[in-house]
Amino acid sequence: MTRGGGAEGASQGPAEKPSRHIPVLVSEVLETLAPKDGETYIDGTFGAGGYTRAILKAASCNVLALDRDPTAIANATSLVEEAGGRLKVVQSPFSQMEEAVREHLSGAQVDGVVLDIGVSSMQLDDAERGFSFQSDGPLDMRMSVSGMSAADFVNTAEEEEIANVIYTFGEEHRSRAIARAIVRRRDETQYSRTLELADTVSRVFHGRKIDGRHPATRTFQALRIFVNDELGELGNALSAAERILKPGGRLVVVSFHSLEDRIVKKFLTERSGKTPGSSRHLPPDSIKSRAPSFRIVNSRPLTPSKGELEVNPRARSARLRAATRTDAAVWPLDLDAMGVPRHR
């Protein structure tokens, strides 16, 4: 799959071969985004350029593509040349798309935003990036290749904090046992490789698969989300999209696990006026009185077809939600109200 500073949340199965450069739900993305000649779109998760390429092919439009991974930016040269001036690719997290629009589009509003959340296939399939528990590599997991790595965290954090991160971001019910095992092992030898950590977690489960998946799946997911602040990034990106979209502009979000999808659903449901919301920072009646800033396009998320899953098994957990921007005022940002979890 092509995804970038966003994208592949699906787990790896031993029978699955890497499905690189296959954009997930691309037909559905194009149908809901509806690219038109002369319009301008943001691809907030460039990755290998799958969505960007499809958008540029669908209409004589312009795309500003973002990715916080420098490798994705370096690999974009040929597509930029191919696009003949219709594409700009910028290294930036999608949470900062408003700043990117201000700098690279002279502050103009845009006609559409597409976000593809999680880790990309390029990142997942490159053992040196440290995202995978299937092959040995440095225990890194940083999408931007800067800041705290997964190894830094598991080697220095308190046992309780490790347990809370694994439980909150991996929804792993054996988080405390896993954290104890991690600390016990690091007291002898600190972690530097992915398979060292995968082996520690696997021992907690006596090597048994959980729901058909490797026992380290949820732990690796949790550490990756935490190290990259993926859910905080998502919440801020949704709010940024609300600010930069023109009335009638389309927001299309593809997510890959329940934590992401719940945030997207709550954001769109609240801002479409379907629920009263639960902000701690606003009087209860103020949300009811706010004009909806979005109109939901699909009340139920779109999912991959059987044919797509046969070609790309990693797409099985993908969910697409879309909405159209109204001319109402922007709502204030409240990550708690959006359901962005914080580990305790």
Side-chain angles (χ1 to χ4, degrees):
M1 291 178 261
T2 59
R3 313 218 293 267
E8 235 128 20
S11 66
Q12 305 143 282
E16 296 175 9
K17 295 181 180 179
S19 302
R20 300 183 68 165
H21 313 310
I22 305 174
V24 176
L25 291 168
V26 64
S27 297
E28 291 82 355
V29 166
L30 289 177
E31 183 177 351
T32 50
L33 191 66
K36 295 180 175 60
D37 292 353
E39 293 192 339
T40 300
Y41 302 94
I42 302 292
D43 179 353
T45 48
F46 178 74
Y51 287 156
T52 290
R53 188 183 298 276
I55 294 167
L56 291 170
K57 185 176 180 181
S60 180
C61 57
N62 300 293
V63 175
L64 174 61
L66 311 178
D67 204 299
R68 56 173 161 172
D69 189 335
T71 302
I73 303 304
N75 292 338
T77 304
S78 61
L79 184 55
V80 171
E81 293 175 353
E82 203 178 300
R86 293 193 292 133
L87 171 63
K88 293 181 180 179
V89 181
V90 177
Q91 185 176 351
S92 170
F94 56 33
S95 63
Q96 296 177 19
M97 69 176 78
E98 185 177 18
E99 291 83 348
V101 166
R102 189 181 303 123
E103 180 177 352
H104 298 281
L105 299 178
S106 301
Q109 288 186 302
V110 300
D111 300 282
V113 173
V114 59
L115 303 174
D116 189 5
I117 314 303
V119 62
S120 74
S121 283
M122 295 188 305
Q123 294 163 336
L124 194 64
D125 294 336
D126 183 353
E128 291 303 306
R129 300 301 301 274
F131 290 98
S132 176
F133 46 76
Q134 299 282 22
S135 53
D136 193 36
L139 185 57
D140 194 321
M141 301 193 191
R142 295 172 298 177
M143 292 178 178
S144 63
V145 201
S146 63
M148 179 182 63
S149 69
D152 293 333
F153 177 69
V154 298
N155 285 327
T156 61
E158 297 291 334
E159 180 181 320
E160 183 178 5
E161 184 178 14
I162 295 172
N164 288 342
V165 164
I166 294 173
Y167 181 78
T168 300
F169 299 110
E171 300 180 306
E172 171 58 75
H173 294 292
R174 300 215 61 195
S175 60
R176 295 198 179 282
I178 293 169
R180 280 196 301 272
I182 288 173
V183 170
R184 189 182 307 121
R185 194 267 188 192
R186 84 178 185 198
D187 286 344
E188 300 174 3
T189 308
Q190 292 212 319
Y191 292 92
S192 62
R193 311 291 293 181
T194 54
L195 291 189
E196 294 169 352
L197 180 60
D199 179 66
T200 296
V201 179
S202 185
R203 288 175 184 272
V204 173
F205 293 93
H206 305 289
R208 294 193 305 270
K209 290 185 177 180
I210 310 301
D211 298 327
R213 298 180 179 181
H214 191 288
T217 299
R218 291 181 182 276
T219 296
F220 270 64
Q221 170 189 299
L223 292 174
R224 188 202 83 218
I225 290 173
F226 174 73
V227 164
N228 295 289
D229 187 25
E230 291 182 33
L231 302 184
E233 282 284 312
L234 173 58
N236 281 287
L238 293 171
S239 182
E242 181 183 25
R243 294 192 296 273
I244 66 173
L245 280 168
K246 298 176 181 177
R250 283 81 70 196
L251 172 63
V252 182
V253 186
V254 179
S255 61
F256 286 81
H257 61 69
S258 59
L259 289 173
E260 300 164 348
D261 187 54
R262 282 199 296 266
I263 292 169
V264 177
K265 180 181 179 180
K266 191 163 188 176
F267 173 83
L268 293 179
T269 299
E270 184 178 89
R271 278 160 170 73
S272 65
K274 302 297 184 183
T275 64
S278 57
S279 174
R280 297 186 294 107
H281 307 297
L282 295 171
D285 291 339
S286 69
I287 293 181
K288 293 181 181 179
S289 65
R290 288 187 176 277
S293 58
F294 280 98
R295 178 180 58 81
I296 292 176
V297 172
N298 52 316
S299 56
R300 293 187 177 183
L302 303 180
T303 57
S305 65
K306 182 179 178 181
E308 179 169 0
L309 292 176
E310 288 175 352
V311 174
N312 191 2
R314 283 183 180 168
R316 64 180 174 269
S317 59
R319 300 288 183 271
L320 184 153
R321 295 185 186 273
T324 301
R325 185 72 169 88
T326 70
D327 60 1
V330 172
W331 289 38
L333 172 63
D334 184 344
L335 294 180
D336 290 329
M338 289 167 63
V340 176
R342 317 291 179 90
H343 80 281
R344 299 290 185 254

